[in-house]
Amino acid sequence: MTTTFITKADGAQEVFDPAKLEHSLALAGASSTARARVVAHLIENLKPGARTEDIYHTAFELLKQEDLPPVAARYSIKRAVFELGPSGFPFEQFLAEVLRSLGWSARPDVTLVGRCAPHEVDVLAEKQGKRIGIEAKFHNDPAGKTDIKDALYVKARYDDLKQAPLSSSRVDEGWLVTNTRFTQNAIRYARCSNLTLIGWDYPRTRGLLSMIEAGKVHPITCLTTLSEGEKRRLLENKVVLCKSVTTSHLLQEYGVKPDRVPHVLNEARLLCGI
């Protein structure tokens, strides 16, 4: 097979790997037959220098044409998390929901007073007597990376909160969580200073994607049957999870036309098992 180079989100070139694409389709739940058709189509039509963004969109549309909207939704989960922006606040709410699904109690947007100064904490999580303060670093750009300056900032904040005079403001750990990746400098510093980092696929098998899959939670932006405007209205009203879409009343309240409601509810049921 001819080697074809494709363009990543950060502009770097890499060799197109059909096995990598097939693996991502398998994780989304596509059958071996569907995977084979999607991969074959892309190999046949792939142009040198094609962007990973274009490859993703092609695969996504092919999955929908296969009449597999739940699989398409699962395949699109990373993009769906990006669609929670641009403010980043829905990402904090979604992160709190992910933690709750894993047995934590979690509250977004909390103010705590440290030994030296007050701090706004994106998510405060507690489980089995352990208290975690979380800084959620949301990027709208898939190529965006969280750098060492963010790690330094978070470490200083949570060192202050560890020494809070009031137990109600004290934390045991600080975490820095992002929807993309970290620079090597950030990772090196975090390992040395004992700061917990969680990125999309970092640490390997214990990153944000793994947490989302373990908790079986999907952002509402995964639903392919909702328009961008409908998703935005739901997010603005703090409806961030696919599994929250359980009634026609809720959907119609936020502008979904009655004739489209059954399609949305059916996709949510298939995707989220509700």
Side-chain angles (χ1 to χ4, degrees):
M1 186 175 67
T2 304
T3 298
T4 304
F5 284 87
I6 58 176
T7 306
K8 297 170 63 178
D10 61 4
Q13 299 280 301
E14 72 173 12
V15 175
F16 173 67
D17 183 357
K20 187 176 177 182
L21 172 61
E22 183 166 4
H23 179 66
S24 66
L25 294 169
L27 287 177
S31 68
S32 58
T33 304
R35 296 199 304 269
R37 279 200 285 260
V38 172
V39 171
H41 181 279
L42 277 159
I43 290 174
E44 183 180 347
N45 294 279
L46 191 65
K47 292 181 172 55
R51 301 180 306 155
T52 52
E53 177 84 6
D54 297 330
I55 293 168
Y56 156 77
H57 279 298
T58 300
F60 179 72
E61 290 302 323
L62 289 169
L63 287 172
K64 289 203 295 184
Q65 290 171 24
E66 291 274 344
D67 197 25
L68 297 169
V71 175
R74 289 191 190 98
Y75 179 69
S76 71
I77 194 164
K78 187 173 185 179
R79 304 305 166 105
V81 172
F82 279 113
E83 288 180 19
L84 292 171
S87 70
F89 183 61
F91 177 61
E92 296 167 18
Q93 293 177 310
F94 176 65
L95 182 55
E97 293 286 3
V98 172
L99 289 163
R100 288 179 192 130
S101 73
L102 298 174
W104 295 79
S105 63
R107 289 183 290 150
D109 196 23
V110 177
T111 299
L112 301 178
V113 180
R115 179 173 177 268
C116 302
H119 303 277
E120 291 183 3
V121 175
D122 291 336
V123 182
L124 181 66
E126 298 180 65
K127 185 179 182 181
Q128 297 175 346
K130 192 176 197 178
R131 216 157 185 246
I132 307 296
I134 299 170
E135 179 78 12
K137 190 69 177 176
F138 181 79
H139 292 277
N140 291 297
D141 181 1
K145 290 186 177 181
T146 299
D147 202 354
I148 188 172
K149 65 180 183 297
D150 298 298
L152 288 163
Y153 164 71
V154 171
K155 182 70 167 65
R157 290 185 71 194
Y158 289 107
D159 280 352
D160 188 38
L161 286 168
K162 285 178 184 178
Q163 303 175 66
L166 296 176
S167 60
S168 58
S169 281
R170 209 169 297 146
V171 299
D172 300 299
E173 290 183 30
W175 292 1
L176 175 56
V177 181
T178 183
N179 62 318
T180 55
R181 292 184 168 89
F182 297 99
T183 63
Q184 284 304 310
N185 269 347
I187 292 171
R188 188 179 299 115
Y189 171 77
R191 286 174 176 168
C192 180
S193 64
N194 201 31
L195 173 68
T196 297
L197 300 184
I198 296 176
W200 184 253
D201 51 9
Y202 180 88
R204 192 173 297 278
T205 75
R206 292 188 294 113
L208 182 56
L209 176 59
S210 297
M211 292 170 66
I212 291 170
E213 291 176 338
K216 294 182 170 56
V217 289
H218 299 79
I220 196 158
T221 42
C222 273
L223 294 176
T224 62
T225 47
L226 287 173
S227 70
E228 295 304 311
E230 290 160 352
K231 291 175 185 177
R232 188 58 44 205
R233 282 192 292 275
L234 286 160
L235 289 172
E236 287 169 355
N237 287 277
K238 300 183 179 180
V239 181
V240 296
L241 293 186
C242 165
K243 67 180 181 182
S244 298
V245 180
T246 57
T247 65
S248 58
H249 172 74
L250 174 73
L251 291 169
Q252 290 183 51
E253 182 180 348
Y254 296 120
V256 181
K257 299 296 183 185
D259 62 326
R260 290 181 45 247
V261 165
H263 301 289
V264 179
L265 290 175
N266 185 56
E267 185 185 19
R269 179 181 58 78
L270 291 170
L271 177 60
C272 306
I274 56 177

